[in-house]
């Protein structure tokens, strides 16, 4: 009997540089120990998705059709079943994880394995179904995991970080799901209306990414925390933060974080904090009713599949 065709991908956390990365600035991100798995089974008629996290809507139908075309399959006669512990709509990369895992599962069903750059190129195209101007950073984290510096391009420049120590992070999830697409489009409209102001803000974000990268590599958690705080202030100036994010960031700092900021698309969603005692911080935020995870982000990019 043929084994079922499966593909897996990870959730992601952007440490520094979201949004500015869309405009060519560097960013720092990592895979999370959260997993999404897609499995292809036999089905009748047009291909469809079964998932308790993702609606089988027109965008998902397009994702399946385009992923199938990329590996030479007809988009009919199968079902893609998804199991996921990556929360959707909070900025930890559920759309990219879905794109990478579905693409890998369909490639396996077609008896193919895409090489890394092809896989990332197709997955970034698939991600643009969910938001129109993806930098491609989310599919890289979903596909490769580990901690890396990223600059967009065709192909992107991906530099795994050499970390002195794993980075002790807490991710706290906001209660209100929000749309990365809306945040990215809103910023694009503001950038088009006032380019010099936004380009200067993106340059300032790039400087915090460089500071934070050096701090992460040296294991200087206090300096990494300062870079998080500076990046959060710039994200507020870019107009992609939200009052509930700022309240959560303040709460994390008061409870022992060395720095905290929104992560991903923003406008609500998740917050990432660096803390010397991440379990204690997670417990303090958990006592306030927040859902949290602790992630010790590792040194090298590794295959999540
Ligand atoms: C979304 O996780 C990160 C953004 O920078 C968009 C992107 O890079 O594609 C907001």
């Amino acid at each position: 009997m043929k084994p079922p065709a499966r593909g897996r991908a990870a959730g992601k956390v952007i440490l520094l540089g979201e949004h500015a990365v869309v405009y060519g600035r560097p960013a720092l991100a990592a895979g999370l120990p959260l997993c999404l798995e897609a499995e292809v089974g036999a089905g009748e008629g047009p291909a469809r998705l079964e998932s308790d996290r993702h609606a089988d809507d027109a965008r998902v139908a397009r994702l399946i059709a385009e992923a199938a075309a990329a590996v030479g399959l007809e988009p009919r006669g199968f079902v893609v079943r998804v199991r996921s512990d990556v929360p959707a709509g909070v900025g930890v990369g559920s759309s990219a994880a879905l794109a990478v895992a579905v693409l890998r599962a369909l490639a396996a069903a077609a008896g193919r394995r895409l090489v890394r750059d092809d896989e990332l190129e197709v997955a970034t195209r698939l991600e643009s179904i969910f938001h129109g101007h993806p930098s491609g950073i989310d599919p890289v984290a979903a596909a490769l995991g580990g901690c890396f510096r990223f600059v967009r391009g065709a192909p992107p420049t991906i530099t795994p970080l050499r970390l002195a120590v794993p980075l002790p992070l807490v991710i706290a999830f906001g209660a209100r799901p929000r749309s990365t697409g809306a945040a990215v489009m809103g910023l694009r409209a503001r950038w088009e209306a006032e380019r010099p102001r936004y380009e200067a803000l993106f340059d300032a974000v790039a400087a915090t990414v460089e500071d934070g990268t050096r701090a992460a590599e040296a294991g200087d958690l206090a300096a990494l925390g300062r870079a998080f705080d500076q990046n959060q202030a710039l994200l507020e100036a870019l107009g992609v933060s939200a009052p509930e994010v700022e309240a959560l960031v303040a709460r994390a700092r008061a409870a022992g974080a060395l720095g905290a900021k929104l992560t991903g698309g923003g406008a609500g969603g998740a917050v990432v904090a660096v803390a010397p005692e991440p379990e204690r911080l997670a417990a303090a935020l958990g006592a306030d009713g927040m859902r949290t995870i602790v992630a010790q982000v590792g040194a090298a990019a590794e295959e999540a599949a």
Side-chain angles (χ1 to χ4, degrees):
M1 199 168 79
K2 260 191 12 190
R6 292 201 181 103
R8 298 176 73 206
K12 70 97 196 2
V13 58
I14 297 190
L15 305 185
L16 293 161
E18 53 275 272
H19 286 289
V21 68
V22 173
Y23 298 82
R25 278 30 169 222
L28 204 59
L32 283 177
L34 297 171
C35 183
L36 184 149
E37 182 173 272
E39 181 178 306
V40 181
E44 300 281 312
R48 61 194 166 79
L49 188 89
E50 284 178 5
S51 162
D52 52 4
R53 284 211 198 272
H54 302 268
D56 187 15
D57 59 15
R59 294 184 309 176
V60 165
R62 215 179 118 198
L63 181 144
I64 292 178
E66 291 191 18
V71 297
L73 286 181
E74 278 294 309
R76 36 189 323 104
F78 63 84
V79 181
V80 183
R81 294 190 182 90
V82 168
R83 278 190 306 276
S84 174
D85 51 26
V86 185
V90 293
V92 291
S94 74
S95 304
L98 183 70
V100 170
V102 167
L103 181 60
R104 286 179 168 174
L106 292 179
R112 295 184 52 184
R113 190 182 163 103
L114 298 175
V115 298
R116 189 188 85 163
D117 284 355
D118 290 348
E119 181 175 81
L120 294 177
E121 194 266 314
V122 177
T124 302
R125 196 151 40 78
L126 297 178
E127 204 201 351
S128 71
I129 296 169
F130 295 93
H131 83 87
H133 296 280
S135 65
I137 192 169
D138 289 12
V140 171
L144 305 182
C147 184
F148 61 93
R149 183 180 187 276
F150 174 97
V151 181
R152 77 176 299 174
T157 306
I158 304 160
T159 314
L161 251 60
R162 293 212 187 100
L163 299 179
V165 291
L167 304 176
L169 304 177
V170 176
I171 292 117
F173 299 103
R176 186 170 62 88
R178 85 298 164 272
S179 152
T180 295
V184 170
M185 291 310 292
L187 177 54
R188 180 151 292 256
R190 294 192 289 283
W191 171 75
E192 269 165 4
E194 227 183 320
R195 286 192 190 205
R197 171 177 146 75
Y198 285 90
E199 287 292 330
L201 288 168
F202 296 148
D203 286 342
V205 172
T208 70
V209 174
E210 301 307 359
D211 290 348
T213 302
R214 277 192 295 277
E217 286 184 319
D220 184 344
L221 300 183
L224 182 62
R226 284 194 295 277
F228 276 23
D229 288 349
Q230 285 157 1
N231 196 170
Q232 172 61 27
L234 291 164
L235 289 159
E236 289 170 22
L238 289 172
V240 295
S241 186
E244 60 267 41
V245 169
E246 286 145 36
L248 183 50
V249 161
R251 176 79 194 94
R253 288 175 188 150
L258 296 169
K261 59 180 278 293
L262 69 82
T263 181
V271 161
V272 60
V274 56
E277 294 182 79
E279 284 79 12
R280 190 194 280 247
L281 175 60
L285 297 175
D288 291 349
M290 300 301 306
R291 185 181 160 212
T292 58
I293 60 164
V294 170
Q296 297 279 351
V297 160
E302 59 201 17
E303 284 284 330

